[in-house]
Amino acid sequence: MQGKTLPFSKEQLEKIIEKYPTPFHIYDEKGMVEYARYFNQCFEWNEGFKEFYAIKAAPNPYIMKILRKEGFGIDCSSMAELLLAEKVGMRGEEIMFTSNDTPAEEFKKAIELGAIINLDDISHIDFLNETTGMPDLVCFRYNPGALKGGNIIIGNPEDSKYGFTREQLFEGYKKLKSLGVKRFGLHTMVASNELDPDYFIETAEIVFDLIVDLHKELGIRFEFANLGGGIGIPYRNEHRPVNMKKVSKGIKERYESMIVANGLAPLRIYFESGRAITGPFGFLVSKVLHLKETYKKYVGLDASMANLMRPALYGAYHHITVLGKEDQPHTNLYDVTGSLCENNDKFAINRLLPEIKRGDIVVIHDTGAHGHSMGFNYNGKTRSAELLLRENGEVVQIRRRETIDDYFATLDFDGLKKFDV
Ligand SMILES: *Cc1c(COP(=O)(O)O)cnc(C)c1O
């Protein structure tokens, strides 16, 4: 089995499990930091380049603190995410607020923090103007419609609820000008989990092209192009990570032929990538509770889709390592399940694995994005802890596991005593 490896040894993980019972997610700081540096380095040519980490991937302030040190900003889309940014001490233009169907309080909070406001719809210009007044700097989210094919997670741009049409962009920026807005950005995000480098180069081309046309027609200068997220990760052994050097080179060529050539430089390139930043560096660690044989063979874990719902939600593949059995023949066909009363509570279906025994430790790979964060409490399952494996081998608990008291905290049992039926 080539490809997928673990950032910890069997002995090391067994020690961690003695202290922190399974299931838990554990993140590899070293891997994350190395990737963050690689990402920044790829775009060194662009002055002011910035990646705004899409915090929804793994909304943990410890992770944000690590990434901020690498120069990353934060991409928020809700009140809780803005408050998390504030808790980490982030302010101003290191916060990108890319929301949709946005409540007024969230715009207020974003403006109070000095965040860059990225509007999802033309009607939000008036909404913002009426509720908070216009900030100096405004960005619009573009939906290229039929110009660009989507993919399975995000769907077809024409069916997507996000963003402005091309015509609305022209109308919208004109309106911003008339409202006294002086600084402008343009954003688009049409892919999710995309592995083809050309896809991102084409996206840049579409955005640069628009920036040129908007400048010609409205005379406005753009400060930045936010190329969104959507950078895929190699969930499968046979996949390769997106070559960001190649992406960067393609974008640079277009930057020169379109932006520089039209006198529109400097233009800062922004990304708001989430999955690529933390996804490959998270692992869901779980123990085998039961083995079951009926029409098929089942491995029952102490984790469930409440800890990781991607397989059930999208049929997503997550690689599985049975700790210490990496080199044994993978000849047993299993469904790997959780304990929810839902038949789609499966981490893998018809997966060839080594022979599994009760008590084996099963590590599910690439859970660092949309893993713990998509967790839910169905069947009264409480969310797991999140641990951080530091570069020096130390382990820090960056979120404790939920207790049953947390789960019951919103119920009024005193009220129940007085409640007559
Ligand atoms: C989810 C999201 C991102 C991050 O997407 P990834 O696929 O995790 O890179 C960025 N921007 C917006 C607006 C998003 O909704």
Side-chain angles (χ1 to χ4, degrees):
M1 289 254 108
Q2 46 108 32
K4 298 272 172 197
T5 54
L6 299 174
F8 34 71
S9 66
K10 181 167 182 281
E11 295 65 36
Q12 209 178 354
L13 190 59
E14 282 166 349
K15 267 230 171 73
I16 298 168
I17 293 170
E18 275 172 26
K19 184 152 180 208
Y20 302 102
T22 57
F24 55 77
H25 288 266
I26 184 164
Y27 308 102
D28 171 27
E29 181 180 16
K30 182 163 179 275
M32 248 177 328
V33 167
E34 279 170 3
Y35 187 78
R37 290 181 185 165
Y38 161 75
F39 201 96
N40 279 334
Q41 198 201 345
C42 287
F43 287 91
E44 252 172 4
W45 60 268
N46 181 254
E47 204 180 328
F49 169 82
K50 202 169 181 73
E51 148 67 10
F52 294 79
Y53 166 58
I55 190 77
K56 71 168 189 258
N60 190 296
Y62 288 73
I63 290 175
M64 190 63 247
K65 196 166 176 179
I66 292 168
L67 295 172
R68 187 186 189 206
K69 186 160 173 245
E70 301 305 319
F72 282 16
I74 184 169
D75 179 55
C76 301
S77 65
S78 68
M79 182 61 91
E81 292 176 1
L82 287 167
L83 293 171
L84 210 53
E86 190 177 30
K87 294 266 188 211
V88 180
M90 301 180 82
R91 283 201 79 81
E93 291 177 24
E94 63 179 331
I95 307 172
M96 180 74 67
F97 186 53
T98 302
S99 59
N100 70 91
D101 192 20
T102 315
E105 315 81 78
E106 296 188 4
F107 277 134
K108 275 192 195 126
K109 186 70 198 175
I111 287 190
E112 180 198 314
L113 289 171
I116 302 173
I117 307 292
N118 188 6
L119 293 185
D120 181 67
D121 184 50
I122 193 160
S123 72
H124 294 182
I125 303 172
D126 284 336
F127 187 75
L128 193 63
N129 200 28
E130 285 156 20
T131 51
T132 64
M134 294 310 285
D136 267 5
L137 168 63
V138 178
C139 180
F140 290 157
R141 177 173 190 165
Y142 172 49
N143 179 334
L147 253 184
K148 190 115 174 106
N151 67 16
I152 183 164
I153 294 183
I154 210 158
N156 211 333
E158 276 182 292
D159 297 325
S160 147
K161 67 171 179 169
Y162 304 117
F164 289 55
T165 66
R166 187 182 161 93
E167 294 69 34
Q168 287 173 337
L169 286 181
F170 284 83
E171 205 184 313
Y173 284 113
K174 204 160 144 189
K175 181 149 191 181
L176 288 186
K177 258 179 77 171
S178 74
L179 291 168
V181 173
K182 297 260 161 15
R183 302 174 56 204
F184 306 93
L186 177 60
H187 165 260
T188 196
M189 155 118 186
V190 281
S192 186
N193 197 25
E194 180 59 57
L195 287 169
D196 178 6
D198 290 335
Y199 199 93
F200 301 98
I201 301 169
E202 281 163 28
T203 300
E205 197 171 307
I206 290 174
V207 171
F208 292 168
D209 194 47
L210 252 173
I211 284 178
V212 171
D213 288 352
L214 283 161
H215 175 257
K216 272 191 194 135
E217 186 149 333
L218 304 172
I220 60 177
R221 285 290 294 258
F222 282 83
E223 289 192 16
F224 66 83
N226 177 351
L227 302 179
I231 299 164
I233 61 171
Y235 285 104
R236 290 178 182 272
N237 245 341
E238 64 270 25
H239 288 161
R240 287 292 146 258
V242 178
N243 182 343
M244 291 307 292
K245 285 232 150 72
K246 183 174 177 202
V247 171
S248 167
K249 185 167 174 278
I251 293 178
K252 184 165 189 274
E253 281 162 18
R254 278 139 191 98
Y255 184 90
E256 272 151 20
S257 66
M258 301 170 80
I259 299 299
V260 177
N262 282 291
L264 298 177
L267 175 76
R268 300 191 292 275
I269 308 287
Y270 290 168
F271 276 93
E272 44 183 46
S273 183
R275 184 192 313 272
I277 308 301
T278 52
F281 313 111
F283 303 83
L284 174 58
V285 179
S286 169
K287 197 174 259 176
V288 176
L289 294 183
H290 299 284
L291 292 161
K292 165 169 179 162
E293 215 171 315
T294 49
Y295 307 101
K296 297 180 88 172
K297 283 190 189 173
Y298 296 97
V299 177
L301 303 184
D302 61 2
S304 70
M305 73 184 268
N307 303 107
L308 175 71
M309 73 186 294
R310 297 189 71 261
L313 190 60
Y314 318 115
Y317 178 94
H318 277 264
H319 196 71
I320 290 178
T321 294
V322 185
L323 197 68
K325 297 189 174 177
E326 290 85 338
D327 298 328
Q328 294 185 14
H330 286 45
T331 47
N332 296 264
L333 199 63
Y334 291 116
D335 280 13
V336 181
T337 79
S339 59
L340 294 193
C341 302
E342 280 293 327
N343 192 41
N344 65 343
D345 182 16
K346 291 175 184 163
F347 295 105
I349 296 174
N350 297 331
R351 183 75 58 91
L352 280 170
L353 292 168
E355 189 182 351
I356 292 178
K357 295 258 161 53
R358 241 170 63 195
D360 277 352
I361 300 300
V362 165
V363 182
I364 302 173
H365 292 245
D366 303 304
T367 67
H370 320 130
H372 187 281
S373 61
M374 272 190 184
F376 58 102
N377 290 121
Y378 187 60
N379 265 173
K381 294 290 166 182
T382 49
R383 286 183 193 80
S384 78
E386 293 184 290
L387 308 179
L388 180 74
L389 176 65
R390 306 223 58 191
E391 298 210 42
N392 61 8
E394 189 194 331
V395 172
V396 182
Q397 177 168 268
I398 57 174
R399 188 194 303 269
R400 69 160 171 82
R401 59 165 54 208
E402 285 176 350
T403 64
I404 290 290
D405 287 340
D406 293 323
Y407 179 70
F408 287 148
T410 49
L411 291 174
D412 178 2
F413 289 109
D414 290 333
L416 180 71
K417 284 183 199 134
K418 292 176 227 135
F419 176 69
D420 284 325
V421 286

